[in-house]
Amino acid sequence: MPKFRHFVVVSVSAALAELTTILGSSTPSFALNNELCRDAACHVSTSHDNGVLTQNRLPSRQTGVEQHIVKNQDNANNASLGADLHIEMSNDRYNTADKNRLIAQNRVPETLVPSNLQPNPNPLQFPTRPEEVNIEVTQPLTLQQVLELARRNNRQLQIALLELERTRAALREAQAALYPTADLQVDAAGGRSTQSELSIERANRQGVDQIEEGSFSINGTLGLSYDLFTGGRRAAQIRAAEEQVRNSQLEVERLSEQTRLDITSAYYDLQQSDQQVRISQAAVENAQQSLRDAQLLERAGLGTRFDVLRAQVQLANENQNLIRDRSQQQINRRVLAQLLSLPQSVNLSAADPVEIAGLWDLTLEQSIIQAFQNRAELQQQLAQRNINEELRRAELAARKPQLNLFANYNVLDVFNDGLGIADGYSIGARLRWSLFDGGSAQARAAQRQADKEIAETRFADTRNQIRLQVEQSYYQLQSNLENIQTSNVALDQAREALRLARLRFQAGVGTQTEVIDAETELTRAEGNRVRAIIDYNRALANLQRSISNLSSSAPAVSR
């Protein structure tokens, strides 16, 4: 894939004096030119103001110098329709190591995230009144702010962290077998037996007086026990617990990367819906202008009622598209809010302009190798393989001798017996060897062996899937970068075609159908351009996800 070090998008809004005099309004028009750059990446931003679309290249951070080129055209004719060519190549060096670390980790300082976006700390809280779920504020956020919120608020990531703590506790439980156990047992008992009651009754009949006395005793036992030899079961269980902790850590890493991709994709969906609303609004304005032209020509006797009806139908269709796009915009906002677990009364909007997120500097082969080295999913399968191997050894240890050491110290005191406290102790070893269990231990070991082979097979399958993911994202990145260039040219041509169609219609040599078709093509061209940029960014995010751990490897994305 050729490396596009610079991708410059030049926007020019041509002043159309003849159209201004006829229609009394400006027609959106700008020319897009693309050229390859050597040392910086160029970004595209779009805005819409009174029917005029402009594009500005945002500054990109590279090492070098700053360039500012400003060119004005046709300012003498119409300042509002003047064309501005603004190209910036901004190159800022970071002065502190902390800022470098934040950029490397794709993090923003927490102070940049509004404090009112923190969810309720009580996970069991839920609203009970309608006003509690009423949207009170719509907060614009950048992609970096959204990612920071996801890192702190995402519920699935929080669950993964809790599961990691659980596996660490399980490891501590397994390691406790390395130490001896101490038990203390104290029994206190009192009463009178039936045999003593009969003896007292027999003595009383014989004329011998005896006092009925009960007995009360305290018996205490302190025991120590230690498994001196377990046949490898204890060590295998500890190693399995350690691998389980590692597996949970990898799951946190995997889920963090997947959450980042999901949040980034949702943010790009919101950007696309915002742009689609803007395009639909521009299409409605174009349809309104066409309707006014048709009505003026009809009143002047140069047009027909049919042309007016066609324009009215076109305006109604564009209004329906606008309503549908606004609905999708609200849905995408709520999807992003749900992923971020925001408070019930807060909604989001995208603050970042639609621009190229960066350029991929690695070849396809380098990307595949990076993915094999970095993907947590592969390491998880290896960890699961190790877990099953250790569990197999633990099951086979049940067939080996088990040696236990024990020591007991006993104290006994019987009240009212006229004697003192008695004590004693015992020390010994206990050997247990299961000579025959019907093949139970061997069967359990065979199950763990099968689980181990399953993990190995899944490793191979996951490896192939990762390569396919990298290749798909890489090829999509290439095609979308080319689509951005072609869509820029197509958009310029569609604007010029609409201008000519309106001039032909106003001159009486064209039809309303030509104008409607040109408006439709312009709307499609604008949508294709926005879709090409956002699809490029999606492919770049998927490629970053396919490789993962970019902060710990060589930089792969230039901005």
Side-chain angles (χ1 to χ4, degrees), residues 213-453:
E213 294 182 356
S215 63
F216 183 80
S217 64
I218 295 180
N219 185 13
T221 302
L222 177 62
L224 292 177
S225 178
Y226 179 68
D227 292 329
L228 183 63
F229 180 73
T230 62
R233 172 180 52 83
R234 176 173 51 198
Q237 290 176 343
I238 292 176
R239 288 193 297 266
E242 290 172 346
E243 289 294 331
Q244 188 61 53
V245 170
R246 179 169 174 264
N247 190 39
S248 297
Q249 291 172 339
L250 292 170
E251 177 63 17
V252 171
E253 177 184 332
R254 185 199 68 81
L255 194 56
S256 298
E257 294 291 339
Q258 187 61 41
T259 299
R260 178 181 177 86
L261 175 62
D262 294 341
I263 295 296
T264 303
S265 299
Y267 191 86
Y268 288 151
D269 290 342
L270 179 56
Q271 277 189 323
Q272 184 169 1
S273 62
D274 290 342
Q275 292 299 312
Q276 194 60 46
V277 168
R278 177 189 62 79
I279 293 172
S280 297
Q281 289 174 340
V284 169
E285 294 174 3
N286 288 334
Q288 290 173 343
Q289 183 61 51
S290 297
L291 178 59
R292 288 193 295 268
D293 292 344
Q295 291 173 340
L296 288 175
L297 292 176
E298 182 189 21
R299 285 195 292 268
L302 300 177
T304 64
R305 180 62 178 168
F306 175 75
D307 292 334
V308 175
L309 292 176
R310 288 291 305 273
Q312 290 175 341
V313 171
Q314 179 69 10
L315 178 59
N317 292 336
E318 297 300 342
N319 276 322
Q320 291 181 8
N321 293 335
L322 178 60
I323 293 172
R324 182 171 56 252
D325 293 336
R326 283 175 174 169
S327 174
Q328 188 61 45
Q329 181 187 47
Q330 294 299 324
I331 293 174
N332 290 338
R333 287 179 176 179
R334 296 313 303 164
V335 168
L336 188 56
Q338 182 270 330
L339 290 175
L340 297 178
S341 187
L342 293 183
Q344 300 289 333
S345 59
V346 177
N347 209 355
L348 293 182
S349 63
D352 283 343
V354 176
E355 61 185 18
I356 295 178
L359 299 176
W360 190 254
D361 292 337
L362 299 180
T363 64
L364 176 59
E365 293 75 15
Q366 292 173 333
S367 301
I368 293 174
I369 297 301
Q370 287 275 2
F372 288 162
Q373 294 175 347
N374 294 339
R375 284 293 289 268
E377 289 86 340
L378 291 177
Q379 300 299 321
Q380 279 184 301
Q381 296 301 327
L382 293 178
Q384 191 61 48
R385 174 187 180 275
N386 295 338
I387 290 172
N388 293 323
E389 173 61 22
E390 298 301 332
L391 293 178
R392 184 188 70 84
R393 293 176 180 176
E395 297 295 349
L396 291 177
R399 297 290 308 277
K400 298 179 181 179
Q402 312 288 317
L403 180 60
N404 175 264
L405 302 180
F406 64 90
N408 295 317
Y409 178 72
N410 181 261
V411 176
L412 175 62
D413 184 17
V414 179
F415 293 88
N416 301 327
D417 63 349
L419 302 176
I421 300 176
D423 62 344
Y425 68 90
S426 63
I427 299 176
R430 182 181 297 109
L431 177 64
R432 185 178 63 85
W433 194 346
S434 178
L435 299 178
F436 180 73
D437 63 355
S440 175
Q442 193 68 33
R444 292 193 301 269
Q447 295 177 42
R448 302 292 83 81
Q449 178 64 27
D451 292 338
K452 174 185 174 181
E453 295 175 359

Side-chain angles (χ1 to χ4, degrees), residues 310 314 512-522 524:
R310 288 291 305 273
Q314 179 69 10
Q512 184 69 21
T513 301
E514 293 177 350
V515 176
I516 293 175
D517 291 342
E519 290 175 347
T520 302
E521 292 300 325
L522 176 59
R524 184 181 295 111

